[in-house]
């Protein structure tokens, strides 16, 4: 995945007389922010009042509201204040400030930029997301958007790279609808191992990650209509430099989310006006070699033997899971992975495994194992391309059965196809799946790893 660019703030300075009891001489600080994507930077002036300032004449030539001692308040100067500022790391300039900051989000960012401010809580999301059409004109929209993600805290944020947008989407990071109806995602859905240090992107305080994304490469934008696009990425494994994880009060990952962007798309432009079109980056697929009713593409004889054993074990898993659900059992095995029982959710899971089992049992070459992946994933699929499963490096080193096994991986991937269960990857790993079952059972019913762990049933539960 190619990373987007990172933009750091371009001005910061401090003035004043530390330790003074006069609020007019209290330390001041300025920090740069963008009023909107693409707009010029401006500096917000912050003053720390050591006593109540009622806006009396001569109070730093400021217009102050009533503030409590020790609080930071934003003030507007009657006279412009020249602040020495560094741009581009070398050129020094004078910048005048006369704006009043009224947006609470900017105030929060300003406070975070001052070294004496209280450390932020991991209960609040430090990542601010904005999104615009890449053309800047809704009428010219051809599928590309520009996403900006800013770290507004005073801590460095570590985020798995696949949770950030890029020129090639590796997950369903956008919610797209046309005229109120969901638009089909056509990009890859990937089962991943736990992230290593190299898998994280680093956003330092004030930095902005910028990426341009061609949505038409991963979403079906072929029909004309009014589209609504929202960036929404679960931040599993993301953390602050103080060690706090970006989790909600429920324990679920925080979501990096933008405001909805509404755009008109002319489907004819998608079909005829752009090179490549939808799915241009999908790897090619061949017919493969059929062995024991399963097709294999790009696999060695040894890989065919190993993958064939995994298919047989996956069939055993799905048959067992289907039998458990058909019997109406709702013991710890079910509640651990899918949460509290409701008949609606239970019937959904039951329907999923009926379809997954039927798909796994096909024996005329419909199930296709593609060995052409060299990434450090377990496997991935394209949800609109049944029943081809691309197996990757972590697949070959996994055990045949048990937790995160070869057989379980095939169940995970088979659940992704729209014609079976159409699951997503809300969280990865047993710990994440267990937490999701408690905090959001509806999402657990839609989570591929939850289906895998239910099928693997390791350790065994009834």
């Amino acid at each position: 995945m190619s990373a987007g660019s990172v933009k750091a703030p371009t001005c910061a300075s401090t003035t004043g007389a530390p330790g003074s009891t006069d609020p007019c001489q209290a330390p001041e600080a300025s920090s740069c922010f963008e009023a909107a994507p693409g707009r010029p930077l401006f500096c917000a002036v912050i003053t720390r009042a050591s006593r109540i300032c009622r806006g009396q004449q001569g109070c730093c030539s400021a217009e102050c509201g009533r503030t409590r001692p020790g609080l930071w308040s934003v003030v507007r100067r009657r006279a412009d204040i020249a602040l020495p500022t560094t741009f581009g790391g070398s050129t020094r300039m004078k910048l005048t400030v006369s704006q009043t900051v009224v947006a609470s989000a900017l105030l929060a960012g300003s406070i975070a930029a001052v070294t004496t401010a209280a450390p932020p809580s991991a209960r609040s999301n430090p990542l601010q997301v904005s999104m615009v059409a890449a053309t800047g004109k809704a009428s010219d929209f051809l599928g590309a958007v520009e996403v900006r993600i800013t770290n507004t805290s005073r801590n460095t944020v570590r985020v798995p790279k696949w949770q950030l947008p890029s020129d090639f989407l590796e997950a369903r990071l956008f919610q797209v609808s046309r005229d109120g109806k969901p638009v089909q995602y056509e990009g890859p859905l990937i089962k991943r191992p736990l992230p290593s240090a190299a898998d994280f992107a680093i956003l330092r305080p004030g930095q902005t990650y910028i990426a341009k994304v061609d949505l038409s490469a991963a979403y079906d934008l072929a029909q004309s209509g009014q589209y609504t696009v929202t960036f929404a990425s679960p931040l599993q494994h993301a953390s602050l430099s103080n060690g706090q994880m970006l989790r909600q009060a429920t324990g679920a990952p925080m979501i990096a989310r933008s405001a909805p962007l509404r755009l008109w798309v002319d489907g004819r432009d998608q079909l005829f006006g752009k090179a490549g079109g939808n799915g241009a980056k999908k790897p090619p697929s061949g017919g493969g070699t059929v062995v024991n009713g399963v097709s294999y593409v790009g696999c060695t004889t040894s890989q065919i033997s190993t993958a064939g054993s995994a298919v047989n074990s996956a069939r055993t898993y799905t048959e067992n899971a289907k039998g458990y659900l058909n019997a109406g059992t709702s013991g710890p095995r079910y509640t651990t992975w899918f949460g509290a029982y409701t008949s609606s959710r239970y019937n959904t899971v039951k329907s999923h495994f009926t379809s997954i089992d039927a798909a796994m049992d096909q024996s005329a070459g419909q199930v296709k194992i593609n060995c052409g992946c060299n990434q450090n994933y377990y496997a991935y699929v394209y949800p609109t391309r049944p029943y081809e499963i691309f197996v990757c490096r972590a697949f070959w080193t996994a055990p045949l059965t048990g937790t995160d096994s070869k057989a379980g991986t095939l169940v995970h991937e088979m659940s992704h196809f729209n014609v079976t269960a159409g699951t997503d990857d809300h969280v990865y790993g047993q710990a994440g799946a267990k937490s999701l079952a408690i905090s959001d059972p509806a999402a657990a019913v839609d989570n591929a790893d939850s289906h895998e762990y239910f099928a693997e049933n390791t350790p065994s539960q009834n």
Side-chain angles (χ1 to χ4, degrees), residues 93-330:
M93 302 174 60
K94 292 287 186 178
L95 181 68
T96 60
V97 180
S98 59
Q99 292 95 336
T100 300
V101 178
V102 295
S104 61
L106 294 180
L107 174 58
S110 301
I111 293 173
V114 183
T115 58
T116 55
S121 170
R123 295 299 183 186
S124 60
N125 195 334
L127 299 183
Q128 258 185 13
V129 184
S130 63
M131 181 170 59
V132 295
T135 61
K137 298 179 181 178
S139 60
D140 295 338
F141 180 67
L142 294 178
V145 295
E146 182 180 276
V147 182
R148 296 185 173 214
I149 301 177
T150 300
N151 176 10
T152 63
S153 79
R154 63 187 292 260
N155 287 274
T156 296
V157 177
R158 299 169 70 247
V159 184
K161 294 175 182 177
W162 61 80
Q163 295 171 2
L164 298 174
S166 71
D167 58 353
F168 177 55
L169 289 179
E170 294 187 350
R172 198 190 324 243
L173 300 182
F174 294 84
Q175 299 169 353
V176 183
S177 63
R178 181 185 64 254
D179 300 329
K181 297 180 180 179
V183 170
Q184 196 163 249
Y185 173 72
E186 299 178 339
L189 291 171
I190 302 168
K191 176 174 169 62
R192 303 175 183 276
L194 289 173
S196 66
D199 292 323
F200 285 90
I202 303 299
L203 276 75
R204 303 196 183 281
Q207 285 188 328
T208 296
Y209 175 96
I210 305 172
K212 183 177 178 180
V213 182
D214 182 4
L215 294 176
S216 68
Y219 293 85
D220 182 5
L221 306 183
Q223 296 187 42
S224 299
Q226 185 73 41
Y227 283 74
T228 301
V229 180
T230 304
F231 178 82
S233 177
L235 299 172
Q236 188 183 19
H237 305 303
S239 64
L240 299 174
S241 54
N242 63 10
Q244 293 177 315
M245 305 300 293
L246 299 190
R247 286 195 291 252
Q248 303 176 46
T250 61
M254 289 182 177
I255 308 293
R257 187 184 301 274
S258 72
L261 178 65
R262 293 175 176 82
L263 301 153
W264 173 264
V265 175
D266 189 336
R268 292 173 300 174
D269 291 333
Q270 298 302 322
L271 292 174
F272 307 115
K274 296 180 64 178
N278 289 352
K281 293 191 177 182
K282 293 181 183 178
S285 176
T289 301
V290 178
V291 178
N292 295 327
V294 178
S295 296
Y296 297 91
V297 177
C299 303
T300 65
T301 301
S302 175
Q303 288 174 327
I304 289 174
S305 175
T306 300
S309 296
V311 170
N312 289 334
S313 295
R315 287 170 173 167
T316 300
Y317 273 158
T318 59
E319 181 68 27
N320 178 272
K322 183 181 71 172
Y324 177 99
L325 295 163
N326 283 342
T329 312
S330 57

Side-chain angles (χ1 to χ4, degrees), residues 348-367:
T348 297
V349 177
K350 178 180 175 180
S351 173
H352 286 179
F353 273 100
T354 297
S355 297
I356 294 168
D357 182 62
M360 287 299 311
D361 282 346
Q362 295 175 106
S363 58
Q366 296 96 330
V367 176

Side-chain angles (χ1 to χ4, degrees), residues 12-18 22-31 44-49 59-62 72-73 75 77 81-83 114 116:
S13 68
T14 58
T15 62
D22 184 351
C24 302
Q25 298 298 320
E28 298 170 353
S30 67
S31 182
V45 178
I46 314 298
T47 181
R48 189 179 191 277
C59 183
C60 313
S61 299
W72 292 88
S73 59
V75 301
R77 299 292 187 180
I81 305 167
L83 298 175
V114 183
T116 55

